[in-house]
Amino acid sequence: MSLLSKLKEAAVCLKAGRVTLPYPAQAQPVPPKFRGRPIFDAAKCIGCAGCANNCPAREILVFDVCQEVRILKYLGRRCTYCGRCADVCPEDAITMSHEFENATNSIGDIQQKLDLFMSTCQRCGRCFKEPSPLEQLKLKGYRFDDLANEQWIFRSQAYLTEEAAVDDVKIELD
Amino acid sequence: MIAREKLNELRAKFGPAIQRADLPSDGRLFVFIEPSVVKDVCAHIFRDLDARYVISIGADDRPSSGKFMVAHNFAFDREHLLASVLTYLPAENPKLDSISDVVPAANWAEREIRDLVGIEPVGHRYLKRLVLPDGWPDGLHPLRKDFAWNQVPEGFDEDREFKFDEPPEGCTVVPFGPFHPTLDEPAHFRLYVEGEMVRGCEYRGFMVHRGIEKLAELVLTYNEIPLMAERICGICGCVHNVTYAQAVENAIALRPPPRAEYIRTIMLEIERLHSHLLWVGLACHIVGFDTLFMQSFRIREPVMWIAEKITGNRKTYALCVIGGVRWDIAPEMKAELRAVLDKLEAEWTPVVAAVLKDKNIQKRTRDVGVADRRLVKEMGLIGPVARAAGADMDCRRDHPYAAYDRVEFDVITADGADVWSRVVVRAKEVFESIKIIRQCLEKMEPGPLQAEIRDELPVGRLGMSSVEAPRGESHHFVITGENNRPRRWRVRAPTYQNLQGVPAMIKDQQLADMTISLGSIDPCFSCTDRLETIDLRTKAVKVWSQEELRILTRRAKT
Ligand code: SF4
Ligand code: SF4
């Protein structure tokens, strides 16, 4: 008889009571391991570019302005909060924060730009300690990602030349 | 060794046409054969040896061997063997005898190979475009290696119209989708309706194909792919993440540490729990029974929370890298997980008891969307759809991976072959998952989470892995390659096969049953198309022209 099962189903509902949480008026705390938006610490970052090379979403750009200054830019657009950048960073300069309410009208709110002092660094990439050969730095040397258009450029240069390769959008595989 | 046995059987029948064979491990067989016998060999494997068709893969192997390659994968479920039949084709004008008249399930796969790699299936009866958009220029194949990953094809013809098939005589056409309240993602069914009865349909999908395989072959690296693979699907993402990692591990003969295997098993089952609960809810919603829809979602929520506690996110677990997992399950987490399972079991039991006797749901779902054993075999249907038709198959038992060989569970089957049986199978599988997780928690020992990888991965190895996703077998095929990334990675999501069974399932039944029939395979178009979905909301009542729409989308982008 179906009436009995209807009664049982009603019992299930009544027992449960009200469970809706008062979000967004009141936010639940997130668990300690929660992976929110990554936050970069310019004081700790050494500019090894390991995070940029291992970001699956290609969300971290590297641009060498001159010998002494390297720019690291976190785009915050397609970032999937996977936490790989924080995994591979040898200096623990990246924290997966607990921030998840990241919707914004101006993307600048969540982007981060680090101006890193590199001194005489030759960008050889040896300061990046890869967990395994699968994370090795393929793009060593000077990098000129397209900051204006927020795009990766899949190449690097052994020497810092006068005319940087910013306009070169030709794709070279490694 | 079963692989050796099968190989000998094939050798006895086809002799010299078999060029070479790889038996990298028990449970895997790769046979390289001459193109001329591919159809016969596949027919023999599919019919005489009664294997299940899995998928066909086309690959552009010209940079390494100067040739194209096609692989037809089959599974011997009872014998625990995955077999791949491979053949090389000349670089010029590659074509291969179509196998889809002996193996009907290969229909889509062959059309996809034609679209993306440009290998012509000779003798295929229905060579309509499947994956590429209508305006895509002919003769350009995006999965060929000389096609750059970000290339925009010249001569894209936005105005070229899709040509629909002629409906059968006396039928009216009723369009269903691409946007429809019971479709969570875009797909278009053009139903041929006679009165209230559906007589057939044409399917048009792949509207959100985003070329993730191409990215993997040219841009991403080995350990970046798992985190992208996970985003193929919003419900069974972890499945793709694990399947990919396992396929690569299979290719390079790497075994993750036991603790990692247990954690993978646990997370896969947690995923099945949330997916099945979600599905039962949605199925009830589709038939208009929202009470249970609400209750399923309520019961499901703690599962999401525990996943968030373990992995840092309620859905995208970001679990695997090659050789292991990233997150551990700490002892206090074990206790919490056990408590969640106990509560889930206590709450799900009365729901199942009530639902299984609910005549209203039964009336709505019995003898609806029937997929019988014959259809299961011909179309390669899998998962709960197959099990509900009495086909006793489950990759967890048949092709054990992770820690499934160390736990005990029952494979739930039913014999109604209809939507109702699928409800029953899924409702009961929840208890099996709970059982599996409990055993894993019991058995897992402390130890490392990731295997050590000291060298770059070897090149040109083949690997495949099948994982029982909540909706059926998810299968990945990998050829390892240069530059720290695979040469070819093919994802076959369960819906890819199950969708091909839908036209037969909805034939000769009421139009109103279409939604639940489709819903009953738990379609996941994202997986099938390998993409992400976009949600456009507008309140304006206006018919947009294509041009207007384009302007609108362009504006939205900037
Ligand atoms: S969290 Fe993942 S996607 Fe986001 S920046 Fe880091 S590596 Fe890239
Ligand atoms: S990996 Fe760490 S140290 Fe290296 S560039 Fe990125 S944030 Fe800086």
PDB file of all heavy atoms in Angstrom, chain B residues 501-527:
ATOM      1  N   GLY B 501      22.773   4.879 -26.233  1.00  0.00           N
ATOM      2  CA  GLY B 501      21.658   3.960 -26.041  1.00  0.00           C
ATOM      3  C   GLY B 501      20.329   4.683 -25.906  1.00  0.00           C
ATOM      4  O   GLY B 501      19.271   4.056 -25.983  1.00  0.00           O
ATOM      5  N   VAL B 502      20.376   6.004 -25.693  1.00  0.00           N
ATOM      6  CA  VAL B 502      19.137   6.741 -25.423  1.00  0.00           C
ATOM      7  C   VAL B 502      18.107   6.650 -26.552  1.00  0.00           C
ATOM      8  O   VAL B 502      16.935   6.391 -26.277  1.00  0.00           O
ATOM      9  CB  VAL B 502      19.450   8.210 -25.047  1.00  0.00           C
ATOM     10  CG1 VAL B 502      18.196   9.062 -25.065  1.00  0.00           C
ATOM     11  CG2 VAL B 502      20.090   8.258 -23.676  1.00  0.00           C
ATOM     12  N   PRO B 503      18.498   6.824 -27.829  1.00  0.00           N
ATOM     13  CA  PRO B 503      17.465   6.740 -28.875  1.00  0.00           C
ATOM     14  C   PRO B 503      16.666   5.447 -28.798  1.00  0.00           C
ATOM     15  O   PRO B 503      15.442   5.466 -28.923  1.00  0.00           O
ATOM     16  CB  PRO B 503      18.283   6.807 -30.171  1.00  0.00           C
ATOM     17  CG  PRO B 503      19.495   7.584 -29.798  1.00  0.00           C
ATOM     18  CD  PRO B 503      19.802   7.200 -28.381  1.00  0.00           C
ATOM     19  N   ALA B 504      17.334   4.325 -28.535  1.00  0.00           N
ATOM     20  CA  ALA B 504      16.610   3.058 -28.433  1.00  0.00           C
ATOM     21  C   ALA B 504      15.765   3.015 -27.164  1.00  0.00           C
ATOM     22  O   ALA B 504      14.704   2.401 -27.132  1.00  0.00           O
ATOM     23  CB  ALA B 504      17.591   1.894 -28.453  1.00  0.00           C
ATOM     24  N   MET B 505      16.254   3.679 -26.108  1.00  0.00           N
ATOM     25  CA  MET B 505      15.530   3.632 -24.836  1.00  0.00           C
ATOM     26  C   MET B 505      14.223   4.414 -24.869  1.00  0.00           C
ATOM     27  O   MET B 505      13.266   4.073 -24.173  1.00  0.00           O
ATOM     28  CB  MET B 505      16.416   4.169 -23.702  1.00  0.00           C
ATOM     29  CG  MET B 505      17.429   3.167 -23.200  1.00  0.00           C
ATOM     30  SD  MET B 505      18.860   3.921 -22.425  1.00  0.00           S
ATOM     31  CE  MET B 505      18.159   4.695 -21.020  1.00  0.00           C
ATOM     32  N   ILE B 506      14.201   5.501 -25.639  1.00  0.00           N
ATOM     33  CA  ILE B 506      12.987   6.327 -25.625  1.00  0.00           C
ATOM     34  C   ILE B 506      12.036   5.994 -26.755  1.00  0.00           C
ATOM     35  O   ILE B 506      10.951   6.539 -26.834  1.00  0.00           O
ATOM     36  CB  ILE B 506      13.334   7.830 -25.688  1.00  0.00           C
ATOM     37  CG1 ILE B 506      14.105   8.147 -26.974  1.00  0.00           C
ATOM     38  CG2 ILE B 506      14.126   8.257 -24.479  1.00  0.00           C
ATOM     39  CD1 ILE B 506      14.320   9.631 -27.161  1.00  0.00           C
ATOM     40  N   LYS B 507      12.455   5.080 -27.622  1.00  0.00           N
ATOM     41  CA  LYS B 507      11.626   4.756 -28.771  1.00  0.00           C
ATOM     42  C   LYS B 507      10.322   4.082 -28.324  1.00  0.00           C
ATOM     43  O   LYS B 507      10.322   3.258 -27.425  1.00  0.00           O
ATOM     44  CB  LYS B 507      12.399   3.824 -29.699  1.00  0.00           C
ATOM     45  CG  LYS B 507      11.769   3.661 -31.060  1.00  0.00           C
ATOM     46  CD  LYS B 507      12.792   3.031 -32.002  1.00  0.00           C
ATOM     47  CE  LYS B 507      12.269   2.909 -33.395  1.00  0.00           C
ATOM     48  NZ  LYS B 507      11.117   2.083 -33.578  1.00  0.00           N
ATOM     49  N   ASP B 508       9.241   4.480 -28.969  1.00  0.00           N
ATOM     50  CA  ASP B 508       7.922   3.896 -28.723  1.00  0.00           C
ATOM     51  C   ASP B 508       7.466   4.032 -27.282  1.00  0.00           C
ATOM     52  O   ASP B 508       6.848   3.122 -26.726  1.00  0.00           O
ATOM     53  CB  ASP B 508       7.904   2.414 -29.137  1.00  0.00           C
ATOM     54  CG  ASP B 508       8.135   2.282 -30.624  1.00  0.00           C
ATOM     55  OD1 ASP B 508       7.713   3.194 -31.367  1.00  0.00           O
ATOM     56  OD2 ASP B 508       8.754   1.293 -31.042  1.00  0.00           O
ATOM     57  N   GLN B 509       7.769   5.128 -26.678  1.00  0.00           N
ATOM     58  CA  GLN B 509       7.153   5.386 -25.381  1.00  0.00           C
ATOM     59  C   GLN B 509       6.651   6.823 -25.339  1.00  0.00           C
ATOM     60  O   GLN B 509       6.888   7.604 -26.244  1.00  0.00           O
ATOM     61  CB  GLN B 509       8.119   5.088 -24.242  1.00  0.00           C
ATOM     62  CG  GLN B 509       9.369   5.945 -24.263  1.00  0.00           C
ATOM     63  CD  GLN B 509      10.194   5.739 -23.018  1.00  0.00           C
ATOM     64  OE1 GLN B 509      10.091   4.713 -22.360  1.00  0.00           O
ATOM     65  NE2 GLN B 509      11.006   6.712 -22.688  1.00  0.00           N
ATOM     66  N   GLN B 510       5.952   7.164 -24.261  1.00  0.00           N
ATOM     67  CA  GLN B 510       5.331   8.471 -24.152  1.00  0.00           C
ATOM     68  C   GLN B 510       6.370   9.589 -24.154  1.00  0.00           C
ATOM     69  O   GLN B 510       7.430   9.460 -23.562  1.00  0.00           O
ATOM     70  CB  GLN B 510       4.549   8.542 -22.831  1.00  0.00           C
ATOM     71  CG  GLN B 510       3.451   7.518 -22.707  1.00  0.00           C
ATOM     72  CD  GLN B 510       2.148   8.036 -23.273  1.00  0.00           C
ATOM     73  OE1 GLN B 510       1.974   9.229 -23.472  1.00  0.00           O
ATOM     74  NE2 GLN B 510       1.227   7.131 -23.542  1.00  0.00           N
ATOM     75  N   LEU B 511       5.977  10.682 -24.780  1.00  0.00           N
ATOM     76  CA  LEU B 511       6.856  11.844 -24.806  1.00  0.00           C
ATOM     77  C   LEU B 511       7.205  12.299 -23.387  1.00  0.00           C
ATOM     78  O   LEU B 511       8.328  12.681 -23.096  1.00  0.00           O
ATOM     79  CB  LEU B 511       6.160  12.971 -25.575  1.00  0.00           C
ATOM     80  CG  LEU B 511       6.887  14.308 -25.673  1.00  0.00           C
ATOM     81  CD1 LEU B 511       8.241  14.147 -26.326  1.00  0.00           C
ATOM     82  CD2 LEU B 511       6.055  15.307 -26.442  1.00  0.00           C
ATOM     83  N   ALA B 512       6.222  12.216 -22.488  1.00  0.00           N
ATOM     84  CA  ALA B 512       6.439  12.684 -21.121  1.00  0.00           C
ATOM     85  C   ALA B 512       7.492  11.862 -20.387  1.00  0.00           C
ATOM     86  O   ALA B 512       8.064  12.311 -19.400  1.00  0.00           O
ATOM     87  CB  ALA B 512       5.125  12.648 -20.353  1.00  0.00           C
ATOM     88  N   ASP B 513       7.776  10.660 -20.872  1.00  0.00           N
ATOM     89  CA  ASP B 513       8.770   9.815 -20.207  1.00  0.00           C
ATOM     90  C   ASP B 513      10.183  10.100 -20.679  1.00  0.00           C
ATOM     91  O   ASP B 513      11.145   9.549 -20.162  1.00  0.00           O
ATOM     92  CB  ASP B 513       8.450   8.333 -20.444  1.00  0.00           C
ATOM     93  CG  ASP B 513       7.205   7.904 -19.691  1.00  0.00           C
ATOM     94  OD1 ASP B 513       6.883   8.574 -18.689  1.00  0.00           O
ATOM     95  OD2 ASP B 513       6.573   6.927 -20.103  1.00  0.00           O
ATOM     96  N   MET B 514      10.290  10.933 -21.673  1.00  0.00           N
ATOM     97  CA  MET B 514      11.605  11.252 -22.227  1.00  0.00           C
ATOM     98  C   MET B 514      12.550  11.776 -21.151  1.00  0.00           C
ATOM     99  O   MET B 514      13.692  11.352 -21.039  1.00  0.00           O
ATOM    100  CB  MET B 514      11.415  12.301 -23.334  1.00  0.00           C
ATOM    101  CG  MET B 514      12.655  13.085 -23.706  1.00  0.00           C
ATOM    102  SD  MET B 514      13.820  12.084 -24.619  1.00  0.00           S
ATOM    103  CE  MET B 514      15.244  13.151 -24.630  1.00  0.00           C
ATOM    104  N   THR B 515      12.050  12.721 -20.318  1.00  0.00           N
ATOM    105  CA  THR B 515      12.963  13.375 -19.376  1.00  0.00           C
ATOM    106  C   THR B 515      13.548  12.392 -18.379  1.00  0.00           C
ATOM    107  O   THR B 515      14.745  12.373 -18.153  1.00  0.00           O
ATOM    108  CB  THR B 515      12.243  14.492 -18.615  1.00  0.00           C
ATOM    109  OG1 THR B 515      11.018  13.982 -18.121  1.00  0.00           O
ATOM    110  CG2 THR B 515      11.964  15.661 -19.526  1.00  0.00           C
ATOM    111  N   ILE B 516      12.697  11.542 -17.818  1.00  0.00           N
ATOM    112  CA  ILE B 516      13.228  10.636 -16.809  1.00  0.00           C
ATOM    113  C   ILE B 516      14.074   9.538 -17.449  1.00  0.00           C
ATOM    114  O   ILE B 516      15.038   9.063 -16.865  1.00  0.00           O
ATOM    115  CB  ILE B 516      12.112  10.076 -15.896  1.00  0.00           C
ATOM    116  CG1 ILE B 516      12.699   9.223 -14.773  1.00  0.00           C
ATOM    117  CG2 ILE B 516      11.078   9.275 -16.671  1.00  0.00           C
ATOM    118  CD1 ILE B 516      13.574   9.958 -13.814  1.00  0.00           C
ATOM    119  N   SER B 517      13.737   9.148 -18.691  1.00  0.00           N
ATOM    120  CA  SER B 517      14.561   8.136 -19.363  1.00  0.00           C
ATOM    121  C   SER B 517      15.973   8.663 -19.554  1.00  0.00           C
ATOM    122  O   SER B 517      16.961   7.986 -19.279  1.00  0.00           O
ATOM    123  CB  SER B 517      13.991   7.800 -20.740  1.00  0.00           C
ATOM    124  OG  SER B 517      12.678   7.353 -20.608  1.00  0.00           O
ATOM    125  N   LEU B 518      16.037   9.888 -20.025  1.00  0.00           N
ATOM    126  CA  LEU B 518      17.347  10.494 -20.229  1.00  0.00           C
ATOM    127  C   LEU B 518      18.027  10.685 -18.875  1.00  0.00           C
ATOM    128  O   LEU B 518      19.200  10.368 -18.700  1.00  0.00           O
ATOM    129  CB  LEU B 518      17.194  11.828 -20.955  1.00  0.00           C
ATOM    130  CG  LEU B 518      18.477  12.588 -21.214  1.00  0.00           C
ATOM    131  CD1 LEU B 518      19.389  11.781 -22.118  1.00  0.00           C
ATOM    132  CD2 LEU B 518      18.189  13.938 -21.850  1.00  0.00           C
ATOM    133  N   GLY B 519      17.249  11.190 -17.912  1.00  0.00           N
ATOM    134  CA  GLY B 519      17.808  11.414 -16.589  1.00  0.00           C
ATOM    135  C   GLY B 519      18.330  10.133 -15.969  1.00  0.00           C
ATOM    136  O   GLY B 519      19.266  10.152 -15.176  1.00  0.00           O
ATOM    137  N   SER B 520      17.747   8.999 -16.352  1.00  0.00           N
ATOM    138  CA  SER B 520      18.096   7.759 -15.684  1.00  0.00           C
ATOM    139  C   SER B 520      19.495   7.265 -16.026  1.00  0.00           C
ATOM    140  O   SER B 520      20.052   6.445 -15.323  1.00  0.00           O
ATOM    141  CB  SER B 520      17.088   6.667 -16.032  1.00  0.00           C
ATOM    142  OG  SER B 520      17.296   6.246 -17.362  1.00  0.00           O
ATOM    143  N   ILE B 521      20.078   7.760 -17.115  1.00  0.00           N
ATOM    144  CA  ILE B 521      21.473   7.359 -17.348  1.00  0.00           C
ATOM    145  C   ILE B 521      22.387   8.318 -16.610  1.00  0.00           C
ATOM    146  O   ILE B 521      23.594   8.179 -16.610  1.00  0.00           O
ATOM    147  CB  ILE B 521      21.836   7.316 -18.855  1.00  0.00           C
ATOM    148  CG1 ILE B 521      21.863   8.718 -19.456  1.00  0.00           C
ATOM    149  CG2 ILE B 521      20.902   6.407 -19.620  1.00  0.00           C
ATOM    150  CD1 ILE B 521      22.572   8.764 -20.794  1.00  0.00           C
ATOM    151  N   ASP B 522      21.785   9.326 -15.950  1.00  0.00           N
ATOM    152  CA  ASP B 522      22.557  10.331 -15.237  1.00  0.00           C
ATOM    153  C   ASP B 522      23.534  10.990 -16.202  1.00  0.00           C
ATOM    154  O   ASP B 522      24.739  10.893 -16.022  1.00  0.00           O
ATOM    155  CB  ASP B 522      23.330   9.674 -14.082  1.00  0.00           C
ATOM    156  CG  ASP B 522      23.713  10.689 -13.026  1.00  0.00           C
ATOM    157  OD1 ASP B 522      23.417  11.873 -13.225  1.00  0.00           O
ATOM    158  OD2 ASP B 522      24.310  10.287 -12.017  1.00  0.00           O
ATOM    159  N   PRO B 523      22.999  11.605 -17.256  1.00  0.00           N
ATOM    160  CA  PRO B 523      23.894  12.063 -18.316  1.00  0.00           C
ATOM    161  C   PRO B 523      24.803  13.164 -17.813  1.00  0.00           C
ATOM    162  O   PRO B 523      24.412  13.988 -17.012  1.00  0.00           O
ATOM    163  CB  PRO B 523      22.943  12.615 -19.375  1.00  0.00           C
ATOM    164  CG  PRO B 523      21.741  13.020 -18.619  1.00  0.00           C
ATOM    165  CD  PRO B 523      21.621  12.063 -17.475  1.00  0.00           C
ATOM    166  N   CYS B 524      26.004  13.125 -18.278  1.00  0.00           N
ATOM    167  CA  CYS B 524      26.974  14.118 -17.887  1.00  0.00           C
ATOM    168  C   CYS B 524      27.573  14.608 -19.175  1.00  0.00           C
ATOM    169  O   CYS B 524      28.486  14.007 -19.713  1.00  0.00           O
ATOM    170  CB  CYS B 524      28.008  13.481 -16.985  1.00  0.00           C
ATOM    171  SG  CYS B 524      29.128  14.662 -16.322  1.00  0.00           S
ATOM    172  N   PHE B 525      26.992  15.673 -19.723  1.00  0.00           N
ATOM    173  CA  PHE B 525      27.439  16.117 -21.039  1.00  0.00           C
ATOM    174  C   PHE B 525      28.837  16.717 -20.982  1.00  0.00           C
ATOM    175  O   PHE B 525      29.577  16.665 -21.934  1.00  0.00           O
ATOM    176  CB  PHE B 525      26.433  17.110 -21.625  1.00  0.00           C
ATOM    177  CG  PHE B 525      25.087  16.488 -21.835  1.00  0.00           C
ATOM    178  CD1 PHE B 525      24.010  16.834 -21.060  1.00  0.00           C
ATOM    179  CD2 PHE B 525      24.931  15.514 -22.808  1.00  0.00           C
ATOM    180  CE1 PHE B 525      22.770  16.234 -21.244  1.00  0.00           C
ATOM    181  CE2 PHE B 525      23.690  14.912 -22.994  1.00  0.00           C
ATOM    182  CZ  PHE B 525      22.613  15.274 -22.212  1.00  0.00           C
ATOM    183  N   SER B 526      29.156  17.277 -19.838  1.00  0.00           N
ATOM    184  CA  SER B 526      30.504  17.826 -19.709  1.00  0.00           C
ATOM    185  C   SER B 526      31.537  16.757 -19.973  1.00  0.00           C
ATOM    186  O   SER B 526      32.495  16.956 -20.695  1.00  0.00           O
ATOM    187  CB  SER B 526      30.725  18.377 -18.315  1.00  0.00           C
ATOM    188  OG  SER B 526      29.809  19.357 -18.029  1.00  0.00           O
ATOM    189  N   CYS B 527      31.323  15.614 -19.348  1.00  0.00           N
ATOM    190  CA  CYS B 527      32.286  14.526 -19.513  1.00  0.00           C
ATOM    191  C   CYS B 527      32.355  14.124 -20.971  1.00  0.00           C
ATOM    192  O   CYS B 527      33.425  13.934 -21.528  1.00  0.00           O
ATOM    193  CB  CYS B 527      31.863  13.304 -18.730  1.00  0.00           C
ATOM    194  SG  CYS B 527      31.945  13.516 -16.983  1.00  0.00           S
TER     195      CYS B 527
END
